[in-house]
Amino acid sequence: MPPGSGRPRIFRGIGTSAGIAIGRVVLLDRRSVRFRRHHIEAKDVEAEIARLESAITASVAQLEAVRTSFAGSAMDHKAILEAHEMMLRDRSLFTEASRTIRDELVNAEWAVSQVIARIRSLFDSVADPYFRERKGDVEFAGERILRNLVGQMNDIAEVPAHAEGVVLVAHDLSPVDTAVLSQHKVKAFVTEVGGKTSHSSIIARALEIPAVVGAHGIVDAAGSGDQIIIDGLDGQVLLRPTKIQVERSDRRRVIFDRMTLELLEAQALPAQTTDGHSIRVAGNIELPVEVATVISRGGEAIGLYRTEFMFLGRREPPSEEDHYQTYRKVLAEVGDRQVTIRTFDLGGDKIFQGMAPLELEANPALGLRAIRYCLRHPEIFEPQIAGVLRAAMHGDVRVMLPMVAAVEEVEDAREVISQVSARLTRDGVPHKTDVPVGIMIEVPSAVFIADHLAKHVDFFAVGTNDLLQFLLAADRTNERVDYLNHPLHPSVLRTLRTIADAARAAHIHTSVCGEMAGDLENTALLLGLGFDQLSMNATSIPKVKRLVLELAKSECDALLSETLACAKREEVVELVRQFMSSKTLLQPNWDEEDEVARA
Ligand code: PEP
Ligand code: MG
């Protein structure tokens, strides 16, 4: 079906990154290509052959681009890609498929699939195992041509440009996919699965592009090139919208952008309550390019640097020098602001090509990830630690260990840090020997031994994204239980109080760096709990700062006591709602729609 020819459809999902985008669909579909045989008129034969020709040309160009990106790396990949390229350049495939189109008056997709089937059966009849194996190459080449014909990509690096802007539609996006989005001109994305705190949603917020997850059925309904509107504010997706819907969304977009600009004025404000209590508002980053946004939004520190994203686009783990240079660059950009470098949180849903191969795990979120993985892989962990210690000579650096669940893990990691430092000293490499070492509290077991852990570390940072999923037993990547993953569940408040109390008793710095920190609904309670720092996605920084200026610490303390007595989440939500109703939150003013329309 040609783009735009279906009826308008509305999908409701979970808006996980605010903003409104209007663009054209690019389908990212990793299932095998779907198409039907259909009859074409004799007058359309030449056009169909031209379509085939350009699909083959595009396929060759894509493979060439991938092969060039492998320049200097393992030869076996290059050889395979060259074999596929040769297969595509071979004119006999084109000639045979064109003949099928002409003789049988069928669409190009069908013709290609027929030719591939014929070649496949030829290979099957050959006894030589080498030739039999080449069958896979032919299938690969055929599949690529078919994808180009139907506009169904399966590799994010191949997302084509679109004049009106690309809106990516996919069943799922891995964190790797989403981070690659930053290198492409993608305006927004919508997926069928995912949650508010899944990494793809976090990255969408970091890139400030609208995103909706949990839009079931969108992949089957959407066609590449269809017009689409993503409303990340209310989780609505309009596929093939009517003219009226486009106009209305455009007005909403103008209003939202206006508010965002107004909010930016708050970036330079100090985050201090009306009764003089200060809290540091910091930003989270995945890649060094995000530092500039954090600073421009008023971030006073980098409270969480998710270094595992250094693996993006690499086929080998970063070397000590890679680490050192990357962190130095970040430090040069942040000036005297503090940077908390989290050591690799690999595993779980963050699997990268350059990692040591992982066993397939039934429950990766509970598997060999983060500090567990690093302690098991010193060849990956030690260069990182060395890079951090060396970079610490050039700025205010803290090192943070993810997913700590036991005191022994801190001891083991500290042992690695001392050994690396001793090695650097022996080699005469300048480095800092007393870099503060902290841990993320994101596993319930760590909460209950927080008093013990506090004696071994210099700071705590609460990772509420993981903490909530483990505490509430609700997978953060599963849209079906996203409603359970709520920071105002009374158990969450009690847990946070235990952590904050342990940190206070041990006089160590404590922050919250999960997504909860950037949501205005939670600000007063986090102030009441006494955290020293809130670290969040850059976009949230100005609005949180603005709110802090309006709050009195004493009223936050009172709200906290009241909510801690609640049995149900809804009771906490209601108390917070009443509390917030007296605050002047900067929200989009939808009443301005008429005025925008007139303008
Ligand atoms: C968290 O779990 O809250 C956190 C900040 O880490 P990540 O989102 O990278 O798992
Ligand atoms: Mg985490």
Side-chain angles (χ1 to χ4, degrees):
M1 197 183 304
S5 59
R7 64 188 171 84
R9 296 272 308 265
I10 297 183
F11 293 84
R12 282 178 213 289
I14 308 164
T16 60
S17 180
I20 296 155
I22 307 176
R24 294 275 165 190
V25 169
V26 168
L27 260 185
L28 188 71
D29 193 345
R30 296 191 167 94
R31 299 174 299 185
S32 54
V33 197
R34 288 155 301 149
F35 58 89
R36 291 207 194 98
R37 174 184 203 270
H38 66 81
H39 175 78
I40 59 166
E41 301 294 329
K43 66 174 176 37
D44 295 330
V45 162
E46 290 316 315
E48 200 61 12
I49 292 175
R51 221 160 64 77
L52 171 66
E53 178 91 70
S54 58
I56 295 178
T57 311
S59 304
V60 173
Q62 286 156 5
L63 276 189
E64 245 175 26
V66 178
R67 182 166 51 80
T68 329
S69 73
F70 281 163
S73 75
M75 277 309 288
D76 53 339
H77 293 294
K78 244 179 99 183
I80 294 169
L81 289 168
E82 273 165 4
H84 290 170
E85 236 177 279
M86 250 165 59
M87 207 78 73
L88 287 167
R89 285 185 199 277
D90 184 344
R91 293 304 282 174
S92 55
L93 199 151
F94 171 75
T95 315
E96 266 228 53
S98 311
R99 189 180 312 128
T100 310
I101 294 174
R102 207 181 300 279
D103 294 353
E104 298 179 26
L105 293 179
V106 287
N107 51 327
E109 289 87 341
W110 187 255
V112 170
S113 70
Q114 293 308 293
V115 175
I116 297 296
R118 282 201 287 275
I119 303 178
R120 199 191 301 133
S121 61
L122 269 179
F123 274 106
D124 279 339
S125 60
V126 180
D128 184 328
Y130 174 81
F131 277 101
R132 287 176 69 108
E133 273 173 31
R134 302 281 70 76
K135 191 176 80 168
D137 294 342
V138 177
E139 280 165 352
F140 179 93
E143 175 97 352
R144 184 170 285 273
I145 300 172
L146 287 172
R147 282 188 187 282
N148 277 299
L149 279 168
V150 302
Q152 177 186 323
M153 293 299 114
N154 72 346
D155 184 343
I156 197 152
E158 293 166 5
V159 166
H162 233 299
E164 269 187 74
V166 167
V167 172
L168 213 53
V169 176
H171 176 68
D172 195 8
L173 289 175
S174 71
V176 180
D177 288 335
T178 349
V180 173
L181 296 181
S182 60
Q183 290 143 27
H184 291 260
K185 296 253 171 302
V186 172
K187 262 186 139 175
F189 72 75
V190 50
T191 59
E192 295 186 319
V193 301
K196 281 188 291 295
T197 61
S198 58
H199 285 100
S200 44
S201 301
I202 291 174
I203 291 173
R205 288 191 285 273
L207 298 174
E208 301 186 323
I209 61 171
V212 170
V213 301
H216 290 280
I218 186 108
V219 171
D220 280 333
S224 276
D226 280 349
Q227 194 175 35
I228 190 168
I229 300 173
I230 307 294
D231 192 328
L233 296 162
D234 62 6
Q236 188 164 266
V237 179
L238 303 169
L239 182 63
R240 298 180 288 267
T242 61
K243 193 163 167 274
I244 292 174
Q245 285 171 328
V246 174
E247 286 167 0
R248 170 138 201 274
S249 298
D250 216 27
R251 291 196 293 273
R252 278 172 65 83
R253 189 181 54 74
V254 172
I255 294 168
F256 179 78
D257 291 349
R258 253 188 212 174
M259 181 211 68
T260 311
L261 267 183
E262 218 179 302
L263 255 181
L264 270 181
E265 289 166 15
Q267 55 101 355
L269 301 172
Q272 198 179 59
T273 60
T274 53
D275 46 1
H277 177 85
S278 289
I279 188 160
R280 189 159 68 182
V281 180
N284 296 346
I285 60 164
E286 285 70 40
L287 296 167
V289 290
E290 295 165 43
V291 173
T293 322
V294 168
I295 294 176
S296 72
R297 300 296 184 271
E300 295 159 332
I302 302 295
L304 167 63
Y305 175 8
R306 292 183 164 98
T307 58
E308 55 278 3
F309 284 89
M310 277 178 83
F311 270 83
L312 268 186
R314 279 176 187 275
R315 309 183 71 78
E316 304 288 336
S319 65
E320 176 182 321
E321 196 57 26
D322 292 333
H323 283 290
Y324 174 61
Q325 295 299 347
T326 309
Y327 305 148
R328 265 204 79 163
K329 233 188 305 157
V330 169
L331 288 167
E333 212 172 329
V334 298
D336 55 7
R337 295 173 183 85
Q338 186 178 68
V339 179
T340 302
I341 301 179
R342 179 174 76 180
T343 56
F344 291 146
D345 184 12
L346 293 163
D349 66 340
K350 285 181 279 196
I351 308 292
F352 297 91
Q353 241 176 357
M355 292 169 62
L358 269 181
E359 302 271 326
L360 209 60
E361 296 179 312
N363 295 299
L366 307 177
L368 188 75
R369 51 172 289 206
I371 191 65
R372 306 167 184 180
Y373 178 88
C374 283
L375 290 173
R376 193 73 73 83
H377 289 282
E379 76 287 1
I380 285 184
F381 192 38
E382 288 176 9
Q384 174 165 45
I385 296 295
V388 174
L389 300 187
R390 287 173 57 193
M393 296 293 286
H394 309 281
D396 184 357
V397 171
R398 309 193 298 178
V399 62
M400 176 157 79
L401 312 167
M403 278 283 288
V404 165
V407 171
E408 293 86 328
E409 286 168 340
V410 181
E411 289 174 338
D412 291 349
R414 276 202 178 270
E415 182 57 29
V416 173
I417 296 171
S418 325
Q419 282 175 9
V420 168
S421 172
R423 198 257 299 157
L424 290 173
T425 307
R426 263 196 320 277
D427 295 347
V429 182
H431 67 286
K432 196 153 186 270
T433 50
D434 56 351
V435 174
V437 178
I439 55 172
M440 296 205 57
I441 305 280
E442 47 186 350
V443 181
S445 60
V447 176
F448 293 101
I449 54 164
D451 52 343
H452 292 296
L453 285 165
K455 294 182 195 132
H456 294 260
V457 298
D458 301 301
F459 65 94
F460 282 166
V462 190
T464 49
N465 307 335
D466 275 310
L467 185 57
L468 262 65
Q469 81 162 339
F470 297 133
L471 188 66
L472 302 168
D475 181 352
R476 64 192 272 195
T477 67
N478 182 345
E479 70 290 353
R480 286 191 283 186
V481 290
D482 193 71
Y483 73 101
L484 292 172
N485 235 326
H486 201 294
L488 296 185
H489 189 289
S491 66
V492 175
L493 300 183
R494 290 178 181 206
T495 302
L496 292 177
R497 184 181 53 174
T498 304
I499 302 167
D501 286 353
R504 196 173 309 113
H507 305 290
I508 61 169
H509 185 269
T510 173
S511 74
V512 176
C513 61
E515 292 302 292
M516 172 182 187
D519 193 339
L520 297 183
E521 213 185 19
N522 312 318
T523 311
L525 290 172
L526 294 174
L527 270 166
L529 284 158
F531 286 100
D532 302 306
Q533 171 172 295
L534 302 181
S535 192
M536 58 199 70
N537 61 78
T539 323
S540 296
I541 294 172
K543 58 184 184 191
V544 169
K545 278 186 153 186
R546 236 183 102 116
L547 175 60
V548 171
L549 274 174
E550 259 202 74
L551 300 173
K553 172 78 164 72
S554 54
E555 61 174 353
C556 298
D557 293 347
L559 176 69
L560 177 69
S561 324
E562 262 191 289
T563 51
L564 277 169
C566 292
K568 294 184 185 169
R569 173 176 116 189
E570 277 320 305
E571 293 165 10
V572 180
V573 170
E574 183 51 29
L575 284 173
V576 171
R577 203 191 54 75
Q578 282 170 18
F579 176 86
M580 293 292 277
S581 63
S582 63
K583 311 295 168 212
T584 51
L585 298 180
L586 196 53
Q587 303 282 20
N589 182 4
W590 303 127
D591 297 340
E592 290 172 0
E593 262 197 50
D594 286 345
E595 178 214 320
V596 173
R598 279 195 300 277

